[in-house]
Amino acid sequence: MSSSQTQTYAQRAAKHPNPSAKALLDTIERKKSNLCVSVDVTKGDEFLNVIDVVGPYVCLIKTHVDIIEDFETSLIEKLQALSAKHDFLIFEDRKFADIGNTVALQYSSGVHKIATWSHITNAHPVPGPSIVTGLASVGKPLGRGLLLLAEMSTKGSLATGTYTEEAVRMARAHSDFVIGFIAQRRMDGVGASAAQSVVDEDFLILTPGVGLDSRGDSMGQQYRTPKEVVTESGCDVIIVGRGIYGTGNGIDIQAVQTQAERYRAAGWAAYLDRIG
Ligand code: 5BU
């Protein structure tokens, strides 16, 4: 087993050079939570209500800010206030995928100004390394961190094999800004040549497609359990959306709280199993 897989979050936090990765690892350890809740709701009030309820149980809140219908700048101020109140980081799941110049503008500007409030964001490696340099020109001076999409949770995903290996190589060449991957398993040593020493690298693996009660949805999503993801596949953070806030109309806040604590406990137990 590789070193970062068997080390504690605290041990990894102590030596991680990227401020956002370090803060995330510290938060995970402090709150005993490797749970990230993905709050994919379309109304600002509902978005804030869900975050206020799950806040105590998470290390990270994942957003898709572009799906919020009544977005205004004050929503970000309220999100930041909740981040301070409940001690979690923010991850805008923007999945950038364009040329360096365009992604730098999308990250810094427009209505959402993602770089000003999101500690972590992500990008498809498909354009090549220029996407990382473009985003780094904005995010690195702010101490932000980037995740590359090395794999996806969906049925029939094309992000496999050599594509995944190239994503890891790209990260290795830009490890001052790329802090890890969205992936379904640990990436230690993936794509490395025999001559390359990768012993000291510590990429975080954040994993969507996690559910305790369902194996998928009708649109290609596939779910695995926290045990499969964290214990068996060596991932670091479980990302859960509908498993926590449900699929129906309207949100039952009491049920959201119960599910958040349930997933937090399952994710943490799976981690303790992994590190032994
Ligand atoms: P769910 O409700 O737990 O299925 O939501 C999963 C979230 O994670 C949702 O916001 C997706 O956009 C996101 N996601 C994913 O499901 N699978 C992937 O491979 C990637 C992101 Br990348």
Side-chain angles (χ1 to χ4, degrees):
M1 252 201 258
S2 62
S3 57
S4 66
Q5 182 160 356
T6 48
Q7 284 169 9
T8 66
Y9 293 115
Q11 287 168 330
R12 294 167 64 188
K15 57 187 171 56
H16 211 294
N18 178 283
S20 291
K22 183 180 172 48
L24 180 59
L25 289 162
D26 274 331
T27 308
I28 293 172
E29 185 72 41
R30 196 164 50 243
K31 295 181 78 177
K32 306 220 174 322
S33 172
N34 53 19
L35 172 65
C36 168
V37 174
S38 177
V39 192
D40 300 339
V41 300
T42 57
K43 300 277 187 285
D45 278 355
E46 202 159 66
F47 175 77
L48 296 170
N49 287 343
V50 170
I51 294 172
D52 201 15
V53 169
V54 303
Y57 308 101
V58 303
C59 57
L60 187 66
I61 287 288
K62 185 172 87 61
T63 58
H64 282 299
V65 74
D66 58 347
I67 68 176
I68 296 176
E69 291 166 356
D70 50 356
F71 178 85
E72 43 188 64
T73 312
S74 64
L75 189 76
I76 295 302
E77 285 156 20
K78 291 172 189 160
L79 171 63
Q80 287 176 313
L82 290 172
S83 156
K85 173 181 173 189
H86 294 299
D87 184 22
F88 59 75
L89 275 77
I90 305 168
F91 163 27
E92 164 61 22
D93 186 2
R94 176 61 180 74
K95 299 188 181 73
F96 293 101
D98 212 319
I99 63 167
N101 184 62
T102 301
V103 296
L105 292 169
Q106 290 171 322
Y107 188 25
S108 64
S109 308
V111 175
H112 298 125
K113 301 181 180 34
I114 294 164
T116 64
W117 52 269
S118 184
H119 304 96
I120 295 170
T121 192
N122 57 358
H124 286 288
V126 68
S130 55
I131 192 164
V132 178
T133 41
L135 291 168
S137 72
V138 174
K140 223 185 123 189
L142 299 170
R144 306 308 190 202
L146 181 70
L147 302 166
L148 288 177
L149 283 100
E151 293 180 328
M152 291 193 70
S153 59
T154 37
K155 230 172 263 168
S157 163
L158 304 183
T160 61
T162 359
Y163 182 90
T164 302
E165 286 174 23
E166 288 299 334
V168 181
R169 287 194 196 106
M170 202 186 284
R172 221 168 261 144
H174 298 89
S175 61
D176 52 344
F177 185 54
V178 180
I179 60 171
F181 305 99
I182 299 291
Q184 297 293 312
R185 63 192 160 100
R186 199 138 208 98
M187 290 286 138
D188 298 346
V190 168
S193 67
Q196 228 172 351
S197 169
V198 291
V199 175
D200 290 335
E201 74 184 20
D202 185 3
F203 289 119
L204 276 71
I205 308 292
L206 281 68
T207 306
V210 177
L212 282 163
D213 305 316
S214 158
R215 297 305 283 181
D217 68 9
S218 60
M219 296 190 195
Q221 176 67 297
Q222 306 179 106
Y223 292 122
R224 295 186 300 152
T225 62
K227 183 175 160 50
E228 288 172 296
V229 165
V230 176
T231 315
E232 293 167 19
S233 302
C235 304
D236 295 317
V237 172
I238 55 170
I239 300 175
V240 186
R242 288 165 288 176
I244 285 178
Y245 58 79
T247 52
N249 285 333
I251 285 181
D252 174 347
I253 282 295
Q254 186 56 53
V256 171
Q257 183 175 6
T258 306
Q259 290 304 326
E261 168 52 17
R262 178 178 175 227
Y263 276 90
R264 188 212 60 81
W268 196 254
Y271 158 70
L272 292 178
D273 275 355
R274 182 174 98 205
I275 59 164

